[in-house]
Amino acid sequence: MSHVLSKNSYGKSHVRLSKVIRHGDRHDLMELSANIELEGEFAESYTKGDNSRIVATDTMKNTVYALAANHKLDSIESFAQSLVEHFLQKYSHVAAVTVSIQQDRWLRIDHNHPHAFVSGGDEKRICKISRRRTGTATQRTGGIDGLVVVKTANSAFTGFLRDQFTTLPETSDRIFGTSVRAEWIYTPGPHDFNSIYDRSRSRIIDVFAKHKSMAVQETEYEMGKAVLDACPEIEEISITLPNQHRIPINMQPFGLENKNEIFVPQDEPFGLIKATVRRG
Amino acid sequence: MSHVLSKNSYGKSHVRLSKVIRHGDRHDLMELSANIELEGEFAESYTKGDNSRIVATDTMKNTVYALAANHKLDSIESFAQSLVEHFLQKYSHVAAVTVSIQQDRWLRIDHNHPHAFVSGGDEKRICKISRRRTGTATQRTGGIDGLVVVKTANSAFTGFLRDQFTTLPETSDRIFGTSVRAEWIYTPGPHDFNSIYDRSRSRIIDVFAKHKSMAVQETEYEMGKAVLDACPEIEEISITLPNQHRIPINMQPFGLENKNEIFVPQDEPFGLIKATVRRG
Amino acid sequence: MSHVLSKNSYGKSHVRLSKVIRHGDRHDLMELSANIELEGEFAESYTKGDNSRIVATDTMKNTVYALAANHKLDSIESFAQSLVEHFLQKYSHVAAVTVSIQQDRWLRIDHNHPHAFVSGGDEKRICKISRRRTGTATQRTGGIDGLVVVKTANSAFTGFLRDQFTTLPETSDRIFGTSVRAEWIYTPGPHDFNSIYDRSRSRIIDVFAKHKSMAVQETEYEMGKAVLDACPEIEEISITLPNQHRIPINMQPFGLENKNEIFVPQDEPFGLIKATVRRG
Amino acid sequence: MSHVLSKNSYGKSHVRLSKVIRHGDRHDLMELSANIELEGEFAESYTKGDNSRIVATDTMKNTVYALAANHKLDSIESFAQSLVEHFLQKYSHVAAVTVSIQQDRWLRIDHNHPHAFVSGGDEKRICKISRRRTGTATQRTGGIDGLVVVKTANSAFTGFLRDQFTTLPETSDRIFGTSVRAEWIYTPGPHDFNSIYDRSRSRIIDVFAKHKSMAVQETEYEMGKAVLDACPEIEEISITLPNQHRIPINMQPFGLENKNEIFVPQDEPFGLIKATVRRG
């Protein structure tokens, strides 16, 4: 019997980095975690243990550090782009490079402090830049992960299908909690990535707060439309919304009434709603 | 050989709860997780499997739900207090009750939205109320856990002991990152717990941002003093600060200079600094 | 500007389940977590908030419970298959169903106890069954996730590329630790899924222990070949191996020699090596 | 107003270490994570930022590495003891040292492989050695954390108190799942710590599997007694058992019967049962 190595790739994950950009009396802080993945002529390492074409993943890590020293790190997208270019230019036997980065969210203390920051939580800004030496154009995505929101009004869920396994009651007034993951595809051309991120995040939060939701699905689609309207630089957006349920507690066994006030938050199971919206 | 059951207690942990307080056109949202622990005459359940005095932990969970329905949940301290009272009054064979609660941090969207909230991250407000039927007074603590902050200036670490295992260089300018855990003991008497929490949190952040730190220890002590000064209702405060290191990267092997700009954040190992400050 | 909902799907994630199969004097225990995802004519829920074709994710959860009652749960693959069939047969407006399941690893206490089990750790057995009503055949994969292994001999890494950012020394004797994720594609036809799983897992561990590794890549490829050789029911296998580094500590600053004995285990960053092997 | 620094300590946490002990054709592997905490004359670092008596936590980390080079690491207790002695002997201004260590569980592949190991899961062996320069004797504890077990027979819970908030039905046949944490206090004198650990772990598992449980409390007490009987070197043992509930699913809404076969595993809330058993 013969075997074929039909696909292979390798790289370094979770390369973490802080950069302090020192502007006179004011500092900027960028903290990120990068993943690098290479495809190319590496088969002989797999099939023969010949490492002569292998860029050690430790070298990839060092490359992230070294390039960060001379890059202004104005956005994770531009830094990822420079890493992609480095590996493609340096090694002719590399066929494709993918760099994905997630950035921590630091907020200035008192909105304005020159060098002290408080965590904005586990929410991340994300990007992925992928380029193949030949053929297709560079693929560039940006996004948000872990934007946790909840609303206590203007969310209903009625009129759904009922079958022999349906026990869920209809509700015209439920709690809607979720953790937004949004990933958008950039149109070609130079962009102000930070401005796009700001507009997208702001529109997503705005729709969440204002939309009278008849379904998580509907709110998700409205978010996608709002981002496309606010950002001509985005050609497509995919959003994933877990439904982080708050279940009303049945108080009748205790002789009490639950006036839609007391709920149990549940981690699992959870509904998971996905949509991709693009320009028509 | 004979054995003695020298200590026992049991309870329910991680009872999660959401309460929506509906004020006409504006909602408040309280989300919390409670732990309940009972001590008392329970030995025969351990030694004989006789459960006749055992309050099922499932009943404790239901009690949290039921009491929440009629409690205004204005602070986690007041709710914990009411749970403690319930079990002591209801069951004469219960000798001591401890209730600890941690509250999620929800921020109004746009600082002002009537019913939509964004997560303030993993930071928690905490409290613990413990009362023994006889003897000592009720013990009441409040606090903060997981307040993550970082500063990129005004932190030094010099003049420490050097021995044969010391390799750490002195530094007059390092990054100082930590996740504050503070727990304070309340003086007796009725208090405005929410006001105390607001003043404490504000003072801790303020000291972190402004203090010229010669050691994590020193900043910690300054935080403790500032909280005591701002809150006469607090008689003692204990603070724990993990030192969430950012290590400067040695760029010399790459022929580059690191102008104190590029660091690796490290999860472990970490320094852990503790202090308790009380009125003199 | 117009928008198009170009893709959508939704479902329920992390539906957990225990089933005790009671054979006279001996019990089997199956614990699993299932994810269900539907595609179909759901667009009007997104675009109009019309839920009349929406199967509530709560109903999906109940369906998992209900079908488990009458299914023998002999393998996660067969249970996933029955869930896929249920949704396709029940709802003509469902175009595609994907069910993925992960199973906990419970080991009988003393290898043989009739009803008491000890955890086999975080390792999971996994599967994914996906069927589209029209067109392509059912896609069926099985696999293993989180099989954590380490070896202290017979692992080298030499002869790799060196550039200006390479600082990693060559080593002919390093520690090799990883957490295996393997996912294989089944050939068509009825199979004994449990037997395939046993043979695959056994071959992966065996190759890890015995192979003289010149690269993680090489060991990964050998694992893939061994599984294909042992399991004619598998047509392709993809393996992902994180390199869970143990870094030798430089003892020279302490006046000591490290005889390749003392290492620091590091969670991040980590190398990540991927390969897909199929029959030639 | 004046303030008093009433308590202080500091140290290094999560110092991870692998040691390979190379015996000719067979290797032993020890992987551990150590926490070190010092008390002493450190107040001036807190109150004045004077670090001249501060042993940097980085130095503590290096000390763990350096001492590991010359220690045989036959047990975590003996290694912790040597770290305690080191800091007390080296620094006369250190008043007390506490070292706690947790050890990973590695099992030889095929029970017998000379240098390849498979993870035994998240279960840890633990110890804590604490010594104050003056006064009390050294405090030494050993233990187990995260030993996850489940049984599907011989567990009942009946005859408990019922009040207006009790909804839990009695059951004569439930699933009993838990994650054992046991911590024992050693008697004075030299001991074979590894043998004690083996006997304790074996007795705990044995009691879990064989005991007909009328309450988690009862099983816990039986475990404590069995360990004391098997280990004269232990004077007291504290055990904590979370009740990792599997809730029977109500199948009646689906027109099905649940013959005590189908359950939902739940992470929270959970009962938490504690006991300390000592010689009478």
Side-chain angles (χ1 to χ4, degrees), chain B residues 123-135:
Chain B
E123 183 189 333
K124 307 289 181 190
R125 175 172 166 184
I126 56 174
C127 77
K128 179 150 83 172
I129 311 287
S130 188
R131 189 148 87 81
R132 196 159 285 279
R133 185 179 298 280
T134 58

Side-chain angles (χ1 to χ4, degrees), chain D residues 206-279:
Chain D
D206 197 49
V207 168
F208 179 78
K210 293 188 185 152
H211 179 247
K212 291 212 175 206
S213 176
M214 294 303 294
V216 174
Q217 283 86 343
E218 193 193 19
T219 303
E220 187 172 63
Y221 183 58
E222 292 300 316
M223 286 176 176
K225 289 198 297 181
V227 169
L228 289 181
D229 286 348
C231 303
E233 307 95 328
I234 294 179
E235 73 182 43
E236 179 182 299
I237 179 169
S238 294
I239 304 178
T240 301
L241 299 182
N243 196 345
Q244 299 179 329
H245 308 284
R246 272 78 173 172
I247 310 288
I249 298 167
N250 178 10
M251 294 284 188
Q252 287 182 336
F254 320 140
L256 294 167
E257 186 191 358
N258 187 348
K259 298 169 186 165
N260 204 20
E261 284 187 325
I262 312 286
F263 304 82
V264 186
Q266 294 201 312
D267 285 341
E268 57 181 20
F270 57 89
L272 190 63
I273 318 297
K274 302 178 183 175
T276 299
V277 189
R278 50 184 309 127
R279 297 184 189 286

Side-chain angles (χ1 to χ4, degrees), chain C residues 6-243:
Chain C
S6 57
K7 244 173 77 175
N8 72 80
S9 67
Y10 78 102
K12 196 74 160 187
S13 294
H14 289 213
V15 182
R16 290 174 65 186
L17 186 75
S18 302
K19 182 164 185 175
V20 180
I21 300 114
R22 300 175 189 271
H23 313 284
D25 57 356
R26 191 175 177 86
H27 294 174
D28 290 332
L29 174 65
M30 165 71 95
E31 294 204 320
L32 58 82
S33 174
N35 300 324
I36 298 184
E37 188 172 12
L38 302 186
E39 292 171 74
E41 295 165 30
F42 302 119
E44 300 211 331
S45 175
Y46 291 85
T47 59
K48 300 184 184 169
D50 172 352
N51 297 319
S52 57
R53 288 165 170 257
I54 291 289
V55 182
T57 65
D58 191 75
T59 301
M60 295 181 197
K61 177 198 72 180
N62 289 343
T63 305
V64 173
Y65 298 160
L67 266 62
N70 288 324
H71 191 282
K72 59 188 166 157
L73 257 74
D74 51 325
S75 73
I76 51 175
E77 284 89 347
S78 68
F79 185 49
Q81 184 75 47
S82 75
L83 284 161
V84 167
E85 295 309 319
H86 170 85
F87 290 108
L88 280 175
Q89 283 170 21
K90 179 96 186 170
Y91 296 112
S92 60
H93 69 291
V94 169
V97 181
T98 300
V99 174
S100 56
I101 298 183
Q102 63 173 29
Q103 179 185 358
D104 293 335
R105 186 169 165 79
W106 288 107
L107 308 175
R108 287 180 189 277
I109 285 179
D110 294 330
H111 306 290
N112 198 15
H113 195 281
H115 58 256
F117 304 84
V118 62
S119 171
D122 283 338
E123 184 188 334
K124 307 290 181 190
R125 176 173 165 184
I126 56 175
C127 77
K128 179 149 83 173
I129 311 288
S130 189
R131 189 149 86 82
R132 198 160 283 280
R133 186 180 296 280
T134 57
T136 59
T138 302
Q139 293 177 290
R140 303 185 302 177
T141 67
I144 294 169
D145 198 19
L147 166 56
V148 177
V149 287
V150 67
K151 63 195 276 187
T152 57
N154 292 338
S155 172
F157 188 52
T158 60
F160 48 85
L161 256 175
R162 303 196 78 86
D163 68 18
Q164 81 269 36
F165 299 142
T166 305
T167 56
L168 186 73
E170 303 212 334
T171 172
S172 59
D173 187 9
R174 64 172 177 174
I175 298 185
F176 178 7
T178 193
S179 171
V180 180
R181 180 182 170 93
E183 194 169 6
W184 50 79
I185 299 175
Y186 292 109
T187 58
H191 292 315
D192 179 346
F193 297 112
N194 296 338
S195 159
I196 297 169
Y197 166 77
D198 288 340
R199 277 176 276 146
S200 294
R201 186 174 185 277
S202 158
R203 294 304 292 134
I204 286 169
I205 291 176
D206 197 50
V207 168
F208 179 79
K210 294 186 184 155
H211 180 247
K212 291 211 175 207
S213 177
M214 295 303 294
V216 174
Q217 283 87 342
E218 193 194 17
T219 304
E220 187 173 64
Y221 183 58
E222 292 299 317
M223 286 176 176
K225 288 197 297 180
V227 169
L228 289 182
D229 287 349
C231 304
E233 307 94 329
I234 294 179
E235 71 180 47
E236 180 182 299
I237 179 169
S238 293
I239 304 179
T240 302
L241 299 181
N243 196 346

Side-chain angles (χ1 to χ4, degrees), chain B residues 1-4 6-7 11 13 16 46 62 90-91 163-165 229 268 270 272 274 276 278-279, chain D residues 1 3-4 6 11 13 16 46 62 90-91 163-165 229 268 270 272 274 276 278-280:
Chain B
M1 193 183 332
S2 77
H3 312 89
V4 179
S6 58
K7 244 173 77 175
S13 295
R16 290 174 66 186
Y46 290 85
N62 287 344
K90 180 97 187 169
Y91 296 111
D163 68 18
Q164 80 270 36
F165 300 142
D229 287 348
E268 57 180 22
F270 57 88
L272 190 63
K274 302 178 185 176
T276 299
R278 51 185 307 128
R279 299 183 187 286
Chain D
M1 196 183 329
H3 312 88
V4 180
S6 57
S13 295
R16 290 173 66 185
Y46 290 85
N62 287 343
K90 180 97 186 170
Y91 296 112
D163 69 17
Q164 81 270 37
F165 300 143
D229 286 348
E268 57 181 20
F270 57 89
L272 190 63
K274 302 178 183 175
T276 299
R278 50 184 309 127
R279 297 184 189 286

Side-chain angles (χ1 to χ4, degrees), chain A residues 15-52:
Chain A
V15 182
R16 290 174 64 185
L17 186 77
S18 302
K19 183 163 186 175
V20 179
I21 301 113
R22 301 175 190 272
H23 313 283
D25 57 356
R26 190 177 178 86
H27 294 174
D28 290 332
L29 173 64
M30 166 71 95
E31 295 203 319
L32 58 81
S33 174
N35 300 323
I36 298 183
E37 187 172 13
L38 303 187
E39 293 170 75
E41 295 165 30
F42 302 118
E44 300 209 331
S45 175
Y46 290 85
T47 58
K48 301 184 184 169
D50 172 353
N51 297 318
S52 58

